[in-house]
Amino acid sequence: MSVLRPLRLLSARTRCPETPPLSDVACLLLAGGQGTRLQQLTAVDSKPAVPFAGSNRIVDFAMANAARSGLRRLVVATQYAPRSLHHHLRTRWGHCFDKGGLVLRDGQGDYHGTADAARKCWDLLTEGPEDLVMILSADHVYDMDYGALLAAHRASGAAVTVAVNPVPLAEARAFGVMQADGAGLIQSFAEKPERPAAMVGRPDMALASMGIYVFRRDWLRLALFEGTHPALDFGHDIIPHAVDRAEAFAWTLPAGPSGQAYWRDVGTLDALRLAQLDFVNAEPARLPFACPASDWYLGRGSVAMPGAVVPHSARLTATLVAPGAQVPPGLVTGDDAAEDARWFTRTPGGTVLITQAMLDRRAAYAGIRRSVTPPSIPRRGLHA
């Protein structure tokens, strides 16, 4: 993966920029997902709360985009393990919105899909005079000016505008995939298809939904509340309905400062690790992280999360060290796939995840072996 120049994150010490407010636009940030493909990293935290490049969290990208775009009111729908996420959003981002403008609504298990979350937060999305509703995703790493998306939606007159980005066809099964004509009208849409449709003229690429939408409020209200079987999900229900009625348009994410659009799905351990590597060589003037790369990047494609301790004698390759994990001296990963998988989580893509529970299990086994090995027999230790 080539190194790009990702967006500038706002830190807790950074004053939010003076941009024209979009305070009349109702905006819902969907931040309730568990992210099961991140395995042990989401055992006690939701996917948006997973650490990313030091003290940042995945949700910070959507929040930085919202603050820089001038949004002054944001409803955040949370559900799975929301406590740490709520604390982080209030302390790091609360000052970027109007007083009372950052509203956190915990579904407490009552949201049964993304569209269902919007329906159950509807009372918070009808307060402003603007006739638009914007839906954002909290679990991607991306750079976007939401003002440009809103302007494109108004110009098109569409019922719904879907933010999209080209992805390699081989990776497209993880996304909602569509085809659009030259004017942007979406002609077909399939959520996580087994055989994704290629883009016209680009047979190796597919047009993927970013999970970011702008709706006419009256249209969305009817889609959410009318009918005998209420829609539960945007990707499976709402967007296909709009496409069938020829009322959905695509808006392609434009290039950023790097000359390329920047959007990464970090839903797997491999994707989470590789996306962070994009930020290792980011220009400090453009990316004032709360923690410099020297504090979280271990080299050899490995990343340490907050609270992790990794001694200099450890040699970790393509490894994620989970928050709070205390790596023992001399630990080696990345040389022996079978040995990695014996003690840790190792993906088919080669990423190794180390948690404290895994290290404890490994240490306990090593201790048992030492206690039962006769002194006259040479000991074969593990990597310790």
Side-chain angles (χ1 to χ4, degrees), residues 80-101:
Y80 173 77
R83 179 176 298 181
S84 68
L85 180 60
H86 282 200
H87 175 76
H88 177 78
L89 291 173
R90 289 192 184 103
T91 56
R92 182 164 182 173
W93 296 105
H95 70 291
C96 287
F97 299 88
D98 291 339
K99 185 177 180 179

mmCIF file with all atom_site columns, all heavy atoms in Angstrom, residues 80-101:
data_model
loop_
_atom_site.group_PDB
_atom_site.id
_atom_site.type_symbol
_atom_site.label_atom_id
_atom_site.label_alt_id
_atom_site.label_comp_id
_atom_site.label_asym_id
_atom_site.label_entity_id
_atom_site.label_seq_id
_atom_site.pdbx_PDB_ins_code
_atom_site.Cartn_x
_atom_site.Cartn_y
_atom_site.Cartn_z
_atom_site.occupancy
_atom_site.B_iso_or_equiv
_atom_site.pdbx_formal_charge
_atom_site.auth_seq_id
_atom_site.auth_comp_id
_atom_site.auth_asym_id
_atom_site.auth_atom_id
_atom_site.pdbx_PDB_model_num
ATOM 1   N N   . TYR A 1 80  ? -23.449 -0.756 21.286 1.00 0.00 ? 80  TYR A N   1
ATOM 2   C CA  . TYR A 1 80  ? -22.575 -1.753 21.893 1.00 0.00 ? 80  TYR A CA  1
ATOM 3   C C   . TYR A 1 80  ? -21.480 -1.082 22.731 1.00 0.00 ? 80  TYR A C   1
ATOM 4   O O   . TYR A 1 80  ? -20.768 -0.203 22.237 1.00 0.00 ? 80  TYR A O   1
ATOM 5   C CB  . TYR A 1 80  ? -21.939 -2.628 20.804 1.00 0.00 ? 80  TYR A CB  1
ATOM 6   C CG  . TYR A 1 80  ? -20.895 -3.586 21.337 1.00 0.00 ? 80  TYR A CG  1
ATOM 7   C CD1 . TYR A 1 80  ? -21.283 -4.748 22.004 1.00 0.00 ? 80  TYR A CD1 1
ATOM 8   C CD2 . TYR A 1 80  ? -19.544 -3.305 21.204 1.00 0.00 ? 80  TYR A CD2 1
ATOM 9   C CE1 . TYR A 1 80  ? -20.337 -5.620 22.505 1.00 0.00 ? 80  TYR A CE1 1
ATOM 10  C CE2 . TYR A 1 80  ? -18.594 -4.175 21.705 1.00 0.00 ? 80  TYR A CE2 1
ATOM 11  C CZ  . TYR A 1 80  ? -18.992 -5.332 22.359 1.00 0.00 ? 80  TYR A CZ  1
ATOM 12  O OH  . TYR A 1 80  ? -18.044 -6.181 22.863 1.00 0.00 ? 80  TYR A OH  1
ATOM 13  N N   . ALA A 1 81  ? -21.343 -1.459 23.989 1.00 0.00 ? 81  ALA A N   1
ATOM 14  C CA  . ALA A 1 81  ? -20.275 -1.013 24.891 1.00 0.00 ? 81  ALA A CA  1
ATOM 15  C C   . ALA A 1 81  ? -19.983 0.476  24.726 1.00 0.00 ? 81  ALA A C   1
ATOM 16  O O   . ALA A 1 81  ? -18.878 0.865  24.344 1.00 0.00 ? 81  ALA A O   1
ATOM 17  C CB  . ALA A 1 81  ? -19.015 -1.838 24.638 1.00 0.00 ? 81  ALA A CB  1
ATOM 18  N N   . PRO A 1 82  ? -20.946 1.352  25.022 1.00 0.00 ? 82  PRO A N   1
ATOM 19  C CA  . PRO A 1 82  ? -20.790 2.766  24.674 1.00 0.00 ? 82  PRO A CA  1
ATOM 20  C C   . PRO A 1 82  ? -20.038 3.616  25.692 1.00 0.00 ? 82  PRO A C   1
ATOM 21  O O   . PRO A 1 82  ? -19.754 4.773  25.416 1.00 0.00 ? 82  PRO A O   1
ATOM 22  C CB  . PRO A 1 82  ? -22.237 3.241  24.576 1.00 0.00 ? 82  PRO A CB  1
ATOM 23  C CG  . PRO A 1 82  ? -22.958 2.418  25.598 1.00 0.00 ? 82  PRO A CG  1
ATOM 24  C CD  . PRO A 1 82  ? -22.296 1.061  25.562 1.00 0.00 ? 82  PRO A CD  1
ATOM 25  N N   . ARG A 1 83  ? -19.720 3.089  26.877 1.00 0.00 ? 83  ARG A N   1
ATOM 26  C CA  . ARG A 1 83  ? -19.242 3.960  27.955 1.00 0.00 ? 83  ARG A CA  1
ATOM 27  C C   . ARG A 1 83  ? -17.973 4.729  27.574 1.00 0.00 ? 83  ARG A C   1
ATOM 28  O O   . ARG A 1 83  ? -17.924 5.950  27.685 1.00 0.00 ? 83  ARG A O   1
ATOM 29  C CB  . ARG A 1 83  ? -18.979 3.141  29.214 1.00 0.00 ? 83  ARG A CB  1
ATOM 30  C CG  . ARG A 1 83  ? -18.460 3.988  30.380 1.00 0.00 ? 83  ARG A CG  1
ATOM 31  C CD  . ARG A 1 83  ? -18.304 3.174  31.634 1.00 0.00 ? 83  ARG A CD  1
ATOM 32  N NE  . ARG A 1 83  ? -19.570 2.631  32.094 1.00 0.00 ? 83  ARG A NE  1
ATOM 33  C CZ  . ARG A 1 83  ? -19.700 1.892  33.197 1.00 0.00 ? 83  ARG A CZ  1
ATOM 34  N NH1 . ARG A 1 83  ? -18.638 1.606  33.926 1.00 0.00 ? 83  ARG A NH1 1
ATOM 35  N NH2 . ARG A 1 83  ? -20.886 1.448  33.556 1.00 0.00 ? 83  ARG A NH2 1
ATOM 36  N N   . SER A 1 84  ? -16.934 4.030  27.125 1.00 0.00 ? 84  SER A N   1
ATOM 37  C CA  . SER A 1 84  ? -15.684 4.731  26.817 1.00 0.00 ? 84  SER A CA  1
ATOM 38  C C   . SER A 1 84  ? -15.848 5.649  25.615 1.00 0.00 ? 84  SER A C   1
ATOM 39  O O   . SER A 1 84  ? -15.237 6.716  25.537 1.00 0.00 ? 84  SER A O   1
ATOM 40  C CB  . SER A 1 84  ? -14.551 3.734  26.573 1.00 0.00 ? 84  SER A CB  1
ATOM 41  O OG  . SER A 1 84  ? -14.775 2.993  25.384 1.00 0.00 ? 84  SER A OG  1
ATOM 42  N N   . LEU A 1 85  ? -16.697 5.250  24.659 1.00 0.00 ? 85  LEU A N   1
ATOM 43  C CA  . LEU A 1 85  ? -16.947 6.089  23.493 1.00 0.00 ? 85  LEU A CA  1
ATOM 44  C C   . LEU A 1 85  ? -17.633 7.380  23.902 1.00 0.00 ? 85  LEU A C   1
ATOM 45  O O   . LEU A 1 85  ? -17.249 8.474  23.453 1.00 0.00 ? 85  LEU A O   1
ATOM 46  C CB  . LEU A 1 85  ? -17.800 5.330  22.479 1.00 0.00 ? 85  LEU A CB  1
ATOM 47  C CG  . LEU A 1 85  ? -18.159 6.076  21.197 1.00 0.00 ? 85  LEU A CG  1
ATOM 48  C CD1 . LEU A 1 85  ? -16.902 6.471  20.428 1.00 0.00 ? 85  LEU A CD1 1
ATOM 49  C CD2 . LEU A 1 85  ? -19.086 5.236  20.315 1.00 0.00 ? 85  LEU A CD2 1
ATOM 50  N N   . HIS A 1 86  ? -18.626 7.316  24.765 1.00 0.00 ? 86  HIS A N   1
ATOM 51  C CA  . HIS A 1 86  ? -19.315 8.521  25.235 1.00 0.00 ? 86  HIS A CA  1
ATOM 52  C C   . HIS A 1 86  ? -18.334 9.461  25.933 1.00 0.00 ? 86  HIS A C   1
ATOM 53  O O   . HIS A 1 86  ? -18.344 10.676 25.682 1.00 0.00 ? 86  HIS A O   1
ATOM 54  C CB  . HIS A 1 86  ? -20.434 8.140  26.200 1.00 0.00 ? 86  HIS A CB  1
ATOM 55  C CG  . HIS A 1 86  ? -21.656 7.623  25.519 1.00 0.00 ? 86  HIS A CG  1
ATOM 56  N ND1 . HIS A 1 86  ? -22.890 7.598  26.141 1.00 0.00 ? 86  HIS A ND1 1
ATOM 57  C CD2 . HIS A 1 86  ? -21.862 7.122  24.273 1.00 0.00 ? 86  HIS A CD2 1
ATOM 58  C CE1 . HIS A 1 86  ? -23.800 7.090  25.306 1.00 0.00 ? 86  HIS A CE1 1
ATOM 59  N NE2 . HIS A 1 86  ? -23.185 6.786  24.178 1.00 0.00 ? 86  HIS A NE2 1
ATOM 60  N N   . HIS A 1 87  ? -17.501 8.907  26.782 1.00 0.00 ? 87  HIS A N   1
ATOM 61  C CA  . HIS A 1 87  ? -16.535 9.749  27.503 1.00 0.00 ? 87  HIS A CA  1
ATOM 62  C C   . HIS A 1 87  ? -15.582 10.432 26.523 1.00 0.00 ? 87  HIS A C   1
ATOM 63  O O   . HIS A 1 87  ? -15.308 11.637 26.636 1.00 0.00 ? 87  HIS A O   1
ATOM 64  C CB  . HIS A 1 87  ? -15.750 8.904  28.494 1.00 0.00 ? 87  HIS A CB  1
ATOM 65  C CG  . HIS A 1 87  ? -14.663 9.654  29.195 1.00 0.00 ? 87  HIS A CG  1
ATOM 66  N ND1 . HIS A 1 87  ? -14.914 10.552 30.216 1.00 0.00 ? 87  HIS A ND1 1
ATOM 67  C CD2 . HIS A 1 87  ? -13.308 9.669  29.003 1.00 0.00 ? 87  HIS A CD2 1
ATOM 68  C CE1 . HIS A 1 87  ? -13.770 11.069 30.633 1.00 0.00 ? 87  HIS A CE1 1
ATOM 69  N NE2 . HIS A 1 87  ? -12.791 10.556 29.916 1.00 0.00 ? 87  HIS A NE2 1
ATOM 70  N N   . HIS A 1 88  ? -15.099 9.675  25.555 1.00 0.00 ? 88  HIS A N   1
ATOM 71  C CA  . HIS A 1 88  ? -14.154 10.226 24.577 1.00 0.00 ? 88  HIS A CA  1
ATOM 72  C C   . HIS A 1 88  ? -14.803 11.333 23.752 1.00 0.00 ? 88  HIS A C   1
ATOM 73  O O   . HIS A 1 88  ? -14.200 12.393 23.531 1.00 0.00 ? 88  HIS A O   1
ATOM 74  C CB  . HIS A 1 88  ? -13.653 9.109  23.665 1.00 0.00 ? 88  HIS A CB  1
ATOM 75  C CG  . HIS A 1 88  ? -12.729 9.574  22.591 1.00 0.00 ? 88  HIS A CG  1
ATOM 76  N ND1 . HIS A 1 88  ? -11.399 9.877  22.820 1.00 0.00 ? 88  HIS A ND1 1
ATOM 77  C CD2 . HIS A 1 88  ? -12.938 9.808  21.264 1.00 0.00 ? 88  HIS A CD2 1
ATOM 78  C CE1 . HIS A 1 88  ? -10.827 10.261 21.699 1.00 0.00 ? 88  HIS A CE1 1
ATOM 79  N NE2 . HIS A 1 88  ? -11.749 10.225 20.733 1.00 0.00 ? 88  HIS A NE2 1
ATOM 80  N N   . LEU A 1 89  ? -16.022 11.113 23.297 1.00 0.00 ? 89  LEU A N   1
ATOM 81  C CA  . LEU A 1 89  ? -16.682 12.114 22.466 1.00 0.00 ? 89  LEU A CA  1
ATOM 82  C C   . LEU A 1 89  ? -16.940 13.405 23.239 1.00 0.00 ? 89  LEU A C   1
ATOM 83  O O   . LEU A 1 89  ? -16.735 14.507 22.717 1.00 0.00 ? 89  LEU A O   1
ATOM 84  C CB  . LEU A 1 89  ? -17.994 11.556 21.922 1.00 0.00 ? 89  LEU A CB  1
ATOM 85  C CG  . LEU A 1 89  ? -17.864 10.429 20.887 1.00 0.00 ? 89  LEU A CG  1
ATOM 86  C CD1 . LEU A 1 89  ? -19.223 9.854  20.545 1.00 0.00 ? 89  LEU A CD1 1
ATOM 87  C CD2 . LEU A 1 89  ? -17.153 10.915 19.634 1.00 0.00 ? 89  LEU A CD2 1
ATOM 88  N N   . ARG A 1 90  ? -17.366 13.275 24.467 1.00 0.00 ? 90  ARG A N   1
ATOM 89  C CA  . ARG A 1 90  ? -17.640 14.480 25.253 1.00 0.00 ? 90  ARG A CA  1
ATOM 90  C C   . ARG A 1 90  ? -16.364 15.265 25.538 1.00 0.00 ? 90  ARG A C   1
ATOM 91  O O   . ARG A 1 90  ? -16.333 16.496 25.409 1.00 0.00 ? 90  ARG A O   1
ATOM 92  C CB  . ARG A 1 90  ? -18.310 14.090 26.571 1.00 0.00 ? 90  ARG A CB  1
ATOM 93  C CG  . ARG A 1 90  ? -19.746 13.599 26.440 1.00 0.00 ? 90  ARG A CG  1
ATOM 94  C CD  . ARG A 1 90  ? -20.402 13.512 27.813 1.00 0.00 ? 90  ARG A CD  1
ATOM 95  N NE  . ARG A 1 90  ? -21.752 12.952 27.727 1.00 0.00 ? 90  ARG A NE  1
ATOM 96  C CZ  . ARG A 1 90  ? -22.043 11.704 28.065 1.00 0.00 ? 90  ARG A CZ  1
ATOM 97  N NH1 . ARG A 1 90  ? -21.098 10.892 28.511 1.00 0.00 ? 90  ARG A NH1 1
ATOM 98  N NH2 . ARG A 1 90  ? -23.289 11.258 27.966 1.00 0.00 ? 90  ARG A NH2 1
ATOM 99  N N   . THR A 1 91  ? -15.312 14.569 25.958 1.00 0.00 ? 91  THR A N   1
ATOM 100 C CA  . THR A 1 91  ? -14.103 15.271 26.393 1.00 0.00 ? 91  THR A CA  1
ATOM 101 C C   . THR A 1 91  ? -13.280 15.795 25.231 1.00 0.00 ? 91  THR A C   1
ATOM 102 O O   . THR A 1 91  ? -12.693 16.881 25.318 1.00 0.00 ? 91  THR A O   1
ATOM 103 C CB  . THR A 1 91  ? -13.235 14.354 27.259 1.00 0.00 ? 91  THR A CB  1
ATOM 104 O OG1 . THR A 1 91  ? -12.933 13.143 26.543 1.00 0.00 ? 91  THR A OG1 1
ATOM 105 C CG2 . THR A 1 91  ? -13.954 13.993 28.551 1.00 0.00 ? 91  THR A CG2 1
ATOM 106 N N   . ARG A 1 92  ? -13.229 15.049 24.126 1.00 0.00 ? 92  ARG A N   1
ATOM 107 C CA  . ARG A 1 92  ? -12.385 15.490 23.018 1.00 0.00 ? 92  ARG A CA  1
ATOM 108 C C   . ARG A 1 92  ? -13.115 16.382 22.029 1.00 0.00 ? 92  ARG A C   1
ATOM 109 O O   . ARG A 1 92  ? -12.512 17.276 21.436 1.00 0.00 ? 92  ARG A O   1
ATOM 110 C CB  . ARG A 1 92  ? -11.786 14.289 22.289 1.00 0.00 ? 92  ARG A CB  1
ATOM 111 C CG  . ARG A 1 92  ? -10.856 14.696 21.154 1.00 0.00 ? 92  ARG A CG  1
ATOM 112 C CD  . ARG A 1 92  ? -9.983  13.571 20.688 1.00 0.00 ? 92  ARG A CD  1
ATOM 113 N NE  . ARG A 1 92  ? -9.072  14.036 19.636 1.00 0.00 ? 92  ARG A NE  1
ATOM 114 C CZ  . ARG A 1 92  ? -8.101  13.302 19.129 1.00 0.00 ? 92  ARG A CZ  1
ATOM 115 N NH1 . ARG A 1 92  ? -7.886  12.080 19.573 1.00 0.00 ? 92  ARG A NH1 1
ATOM 116 N NH2 . ARG A 1 92  ? -7.327  13.788 18.178 1.00 0.00 ? 92  ARG A NH2 1
ATOM 117 N N   . TRP A 1 93  ? -14.409 16.152 21.845 1.00 0.00 ? 93  TRP A N   1
ATOM 118 C CA  . TRP A 1 93  ? -15.109 16.823 20.750 1.00 0.00 ? 93  TRP A CA  1
ATOM 119 C C   . TRP A 1 93  ? -16.255 17.729 21.180 1.00 0.00 ? 93  TRP A C   1
ATOM 120 O O   . TRP A 1 93  ? -16.788 18.472 20.357 1.00 0.00 ? 93  TRP A O   1
ATOM 121 C CB  . TRP A 1 93  ? -15.645 15.776 19.768 1.00 0.00 ? 93  TRP A CB  1
ATOM 122 C CG  . TRP A 1 93  ? -14.548 15.022 19.114 1.00 0.00 ? 93  TRP A CG  1
ATOM 123 C CD1 . TRP A 1 93  ? -14.147 13.743 19.382 1.00 0.00 ? 93  TRP A CD1 1
ATOM 124 C CD2 . TRP A 1 93  ? -13.669 15.504 18.096 1.00 0.00 ? 93  TRP A CD2 1
ATOM 125 N NE1 . TRP A 1 93  ? -13.080 13.399 18.599 1.00 0.00 ? 93  TRP A NE1 1
ATOM 126 C CE2 . TRP A 1 93  ? -12.760 14.469 17.788 1.00 0.00 ? 93  TRP A CE2 1
ATOM 127 C CE3 . TRP A 1 93  ? -13.565 16.718 17.408 1.00 0.00 ? 93  TRP A CE3 1
ATOM 128 C CZ2 . TRP A 1 93  ? -11.766 14.595 16.843 1.00 0.00 ? 93  TRP A CZ2 1
ATOM 129 C CZ3 . TRP A 1 93  ? -12.562 16.852 16.449 1.00 0.00 ? 93  TRP A CZ3 1
ATOM 130 C CH2 . TRP A 1 93  ? -11.687 15.798 16.180 1.00 0.00 ? 93  TRP A CH2 1
ATOM 131 N N   . GLY A 1 94  ? -16.654 17.692 22.428 1.00 0.00 ? 94  GLY A N   1
ATOM 132 C CA  . GLY A 1 94  ? -17.799 18.485 22.853 1.00 0.00 ? 94  GLY A CA  1
ATOM 133 C C   . GLY A 1 94  ? -17.659 19.965 22.584 1.00 0.00 ? 94  GLY A C   1
ATOM 134 O O   . GLY A 1 94  ? -18.637 20.648 22.243 1.00 0.00 ? 94  GLY A O   1
ATOM 135 N N   . HIS A 1 95  ? -16.427 20.485 22.678 1.00 0.00 ? 95  HIS A N   1
ATOM 136 C CA  . HIS A 1 95  ? -16.216 21.922 22.493 1.00 0.00 ? 95  HIS A CA  1
ATOM 137 C C   . HIS A 1 95  ? -16.347 22.354 21.045 1.00 0.00 ? 95  HIS A C   1
ATOM 138 O O   . HIS A 1 95  ? -16.381 23.557 20.762 1.00 0.00 ? 95  HIS A O   1
ATOM 139 C CB  . HIS A 1 95  ? -14.829 22.312 23.020 1.00 0.00 ? 95  HIS A CB  1
ATOM 140 C CG  . HIS A 1 95  ? -13.704 21.797 22.178 1.00 0.00 ? 95  HIS A CG  1
ATOM 141 N ND1 . HIS A 1 95  ? -13.376 20.463 22.094 1.00 0.00 ? 95  HIS A ND1 1
ATOM 142 C CD2 . HIS A 1 95  ? -12.835 22.464 21.370 1.00 0.00 ? 95  HIS A CD2 1
ATOM 143 C CE1 . HIS A 1 95  ? -12.346 20.320 21.272 1.00 0.00 ? 95  HIS A CE1 1
ATOM 144 N NE2 . HIS A 1 95  ? -11.996 21.504 20.818 1.00 0.00 ? 95  HIS A NE2 1
ATOM 145 N N   . CYS A 1 96  ? -16.416 21.416 20.118 1.00 0.00 ? 96  CYS A N   1
ATOM 146 C CA  . CYS A 1 96  ? -16.493 21.750 18.693 1.00 0.00 ? 96  CYS A CA  1
ATOM 147 C C   . CYS A 1 96  ? -17.923 21.971 18.209 1.00 0.00 ? 96  CYS A C   1
ATOM 148 O O   . CYS A 1 96  ? -18.126 22.291 17.038 1.00 0.00 ? 96  CYS A O   1
ATOM 149 C CB  . CYS A 1 96  ? -15.841 20.649 17.862 1.00 0.00 ? 96  CYS A CB  1
ATOM 150 S SG  . CYS A 1 96  ? -14.042 20.613 17.966 1.00 0.00 ? 96  CYS A SG  1
ATOM 151 N N   . PHE A 1 97  ? -18.894 21.781 19.082 1.00 0.00 ? 97  PHE A N   1
ATOM 152 C CA  . PHE A 1 97  ? -20.291 21.918 18.681 1.00 0.00 ? 97  PHE A CA  1
ATOM 153 C C   . PHE A 1 97  ? -20.975 22.948 19.573 1.00 0.00 ? 97  PHE A C   1
ATOM 154 O O   . PHE A 1 97  ? -20.457 23.334 20.621 1.00 0.00 ? 97  PHE A O   1
ATOM 155 C CB  . PHE A 1 97  ? -20.993 20.559 18.769 1.00 0.00 ? 97  PHE A CB  1
ATOM 156 C CG  . PHE A 1 97  ? -20.383 19.533 17.857 1.00 0.00 ? 97  PHE A CG  1
ATOM 157 C CD1 . PHE A 1 97  ? -19.322 18.751 18.278 1.00 0.00 ? 97  PHE A CD1 1
ATOM 158 C CD2 . PHE A 1 97  ? -20.845 19.383 16.560 1.00 0.00 ? 97  PHE A CD2 1
ATOM 159 C CE1 . PHE A 1 97  ? -18.728 17.825 17.429 1.00 0.00 ? 97  PHE A CE1 1
ATOM 160 C CE2 . PHE A 1 97  ? -20.257 18.461 15.700 1.00 0.00 ? 97  PHE A CE2 1
ATOM 161 C CZ  . PHE A 1 97  ? -19.208 17.686 16.131 1.00 0.00 ? 97  PHE A CZ  1
ATOM 162 N N   . ASP A 1 98  ? -22.124 23.406 19.132 1.00 0.00 ? 98  ASP A N   1
ATOM 163 C CA  . ASP A 1 98  ? -22.891 24.343 19.943 1.00 0.00 ? 98  ASP A CA  1
ATOM 164 C C   . ASP A 1 98  ? -23.183 23.727 21.318 1.00 0.00 ? 98  ASP A C   1
ATOM 165 O O   . ASP A 1 98  ? -23.169 22.497 21.478 1.00 0.00 ? 98  ASP A O   1
ATOM 166 C CB  . ASP A 1 98  ? -24.209 24.693 19.258 1.00 0.00 ? 98  ASP A CB  1
ATOM 167 C CG  . ASP A 1 98  ? -23.995 25.522 17.999 1.00 0.00 ? 98  ASP A CG  1
ATOM 168 O OD1 . ASP A 1 98  ? -22.924 26.139 17.877 1.00 0.00 ? 98  ASP A OD1 1
ATOM 169 O OD2 . ASP A 1 98  ? -24.908 25.535 17.148 1.00 0.00 ? 98  ASP A OD2 1
ATOM 170 N N   . LYS A 1 99  ? -23.459 24.564 22.292 1.00 0.00 ? 99  LYS A N   1
ATOM 171 C CA  . LYS A 1 99  ? -23.813 24.064 23.611 1.00 0.00 ? 99  LYS A CA  1
ATOM 172 C C   . LYS A 1 99  ? -25.035 23.153 23.491 1.00 0.00 ? 99  LYS A C   1
ATOM 173 O O   . LYS A 1 99  ? -26.078 23.547 22.985 1.00 0.00 ? 99  LYS A O   1
ATOM 174 C CB  . LYS A 1 99  ? -24.117 25.233 24.551 1.00 0.00 ? 99  LYS A CB  1
ATOM 175 C CG  . LYS A 1 99  ? -24.389 24.788 25.975 1.00 0.00 ? 99  LYS A CG  1
ATOM 176 C CD  . LYS A 1 99  ? -24.615 25.980 26.893 1.00 0.00 ? 99  LYS A CD  1
ATOM 177 C CE  . LYS A 1 99  ? -24.883 25.512 28.328 1.00 0.00 ? 99  LYS A CE  1
ATOM 178 N NZ  . LYS A 1 99  ? -25.092 26.677 29.236 1.00 0.00 ? 99  LYS A NZ  1
ATOM 179 N N   . GLY A 1 100 ? -24.861 21.933 23.945 1.00 0.00 ? 100 GLY A N   1
ATOM 180 C CA  . GLY A 1 100 ? -25.932 20.952 23.807 1.00 0.00 ? 100 GLY A CA  1
ATOM 181 C C   . GLY A 1 100 ? -26.041 20.376 22.408 1.00 0.00 ? 100 GLY A C   1
ATOM 182 O O   . GLY A 1 100 ? -26.963 19.605 22.129 1.00 0.00 ? 100 GLY A O   1
ATOM 183 N N   . GLY A 1 101 ? -25.098 20.721 21.522 1.00 0.00 ? 101 GLY A N   1
ATOM 184 C CA  . GLY A 1 101 ? -25.188 20.294 20.125 1.00 0.00 ? 101 GLY A CA  1
ATOM 185 C C   . GLY A 1 101 ? -24.674 18.897 19.864 1.00 0.00 ? 101 GLY A C   1
ATOM 186 O O   . GLY A 1 101 ? -24.945 18.330 18.801 1.00 0.00 ? 101 GLY A O   1
#
